[in-house]
Amino acid sequence: KLFDSTGEKDLRNDGVLAIEQMKLIFAEIERKGIARKVKTNLQRRVMEGKAPGGQQAFGYDKDENDMLIINEKDAVIVRKIFAMANERYSLRKIVKYLNDNGIKNTNGGRYKENGINKYAGSDWVDATLHRLLVKTQYKGKLLHGDNGKKSGNYTREYYDCKAIIDPILFDNVQLQMKERNMYKDTTNKEEYLLKSLIVCGTCGKKYYVRKTS
């Protein structure tokens, strides 16, 4: 049965059924139109130099006018990370350096305070560091949009933004990472009897099984 504000609709009546189907079609058209407008507005914001929605990339922030700005405190860490990568330090060694020196990933450790997202910071891991090192935003090319599979013809594109890393240094690090295969996927999707249940008695971190292949 179908009900609206006027009461029950008799879908056994061909006329009523046709009208309801037409309403659904127009509602879908309206929904797609709204989605296009929202995406166009987001795209325009980025083109105007404003910060994209959500949490900003490590090393960036937004001012009172929502303009994308560099967080100089975190930018120093970003430059150190790229310098170490350029000096052929492995991801694991860079992660160890950051964590041993108490340098936190300020994008991690999210919690809510008065309904607002706050970030307490978290330890670095290989995967997080890898995502940072390949993010073109750091050389002044912000990749923004979706994967092209959603409605609205709004695919991902590169937009100019403030750079933290020299583009030549950034590209050189990418070449080194590709040549040396610096990043290996350590995500463990296998199922084991005691997965996530056994922890280290010293540091408290969970044990995981390395892939055999």
Side-chain angles (χ1 to χ4, degrees):
K1 294 182 179 181
L2 176 66
F3 294 84
D4 66 8
S5 60
T6 63
E8 182 180 356
K9 297 294 183 181
D10 185 6
L11 298 182
R12 294 171 296 182
N13 184 302
D14 291 340
V16 173
L17 179 60
I19 291 174
E20 296 305 319
Q21 289 176 333
M22 290 177 65
K23 287 181 180 179
L24 292 174
I25 292 172
F26 283 114
E28 179 64 13
I29 293 174
E30 183 180 13
R31 186 192 67 79
K32 289 182 178 180
I34 293 173
R36 281 193 294 270
K37 289 179 181 178
V38 170
K39 291 176 180 179
T40 299
N41 289 337
L42 291 174
Q43 186 180 36
R44 185 176 65 250
R45 282 175 53 86
V46 174
M47 293 177 67
E48 293 173 351
K50 292 188 176 181
Q55 173 71 4
Q56 303 308 310
F58 183 81
Y60 288 92
D61 210 336
K62 58 182 178 181
D63 63 15
E64 62 276 6
N65 297 315
D66 281 345
M67 299 299 291
L68 183 67
I69 59 175
I70 294 176
N71 182 320
E72 292 299 337
K73 181 180 178 181
D74 290 343
V76 172
I77 300 171
V78 173
R79 296 186 185 105
K80 178 64 176 179
I81 290 172
F82 273 89
M84 293 181 70
N86 192 50
E87 293 171 4
R88 307 188 73 80
Y89 280 81
S90 67
L91 289 181
R92 187 157 295 178
K93 287 183 178 180
I94 300 175
V95 165
K96 186 177 187 305
Y97 168 84
L98 295 172
N99 292 334
D100 287 352
N101 286 276
I103 300 173
K104 295 292 184 180
N105 173 16
T106 54
N107 282 11
R110 186 172 68 175
Y111 66 97
K112 282 188 177 294
E113 184 177 291
N114 298 324
I116 300 175
N117 287 332
K118 300 287 186 176
Y119 296 84
S122 61
D123 288 342
W124 292 87
V125 296
D126 290 12
T128 303
L129 186 63
H130 180 265
R131 287 195 295 270
L132 184 150
L133 285 168
V134 299
K135 198 172 189 66
T136 57
Q137 181 175 350
Y138 293 113
K139 71 171 183 176
K141 294 295 180 181
L142 173 61
L143 182 60
H144 182 69
D146 58 36
N147 57 12
K149 296 181 180 179
K150 300 179 181 179
S151 62
N153 297 320
Y154 182 68
T155 55
R156 308 185 82 185
E157 296 181 11
Y158 289 98
Y159 300 91
D160 292 334
C161 69
K162 296 182 177 180
I164 294 178
I165 301 300
D166 182 273
I168 296 177
L169 172 59
F170 182 92
D171 292 341
N172 187 49
V173 169
Q174 307 313 302
L175 288 174
Q176 288 197 45
M177 292 175 65
K178 184 176 180 180
E179 292 173 357
R180 298 167 55 205
N181 191 24
M182 283 178 65
Y183 178 67
K184 299 183 185 301
D185 184 8
T186 57
T187 302
N188 178 17
K189 297 182 179 178
E190 303 289 341
E191 291 297 331
Y192 298 97
L193 180 62
L194 299 177
K195 182 178 179 180
S196 300
L197 297 178
I198 303 178
V199 298
C200 175
T202 302
C203 67
K205 293 185 177 180
K206 295 178 181 178
Y207 282 109
Y208 65 92
V209 179
R210 291 187 178 275
K211 294 181 180 179
T212 56
S213 57

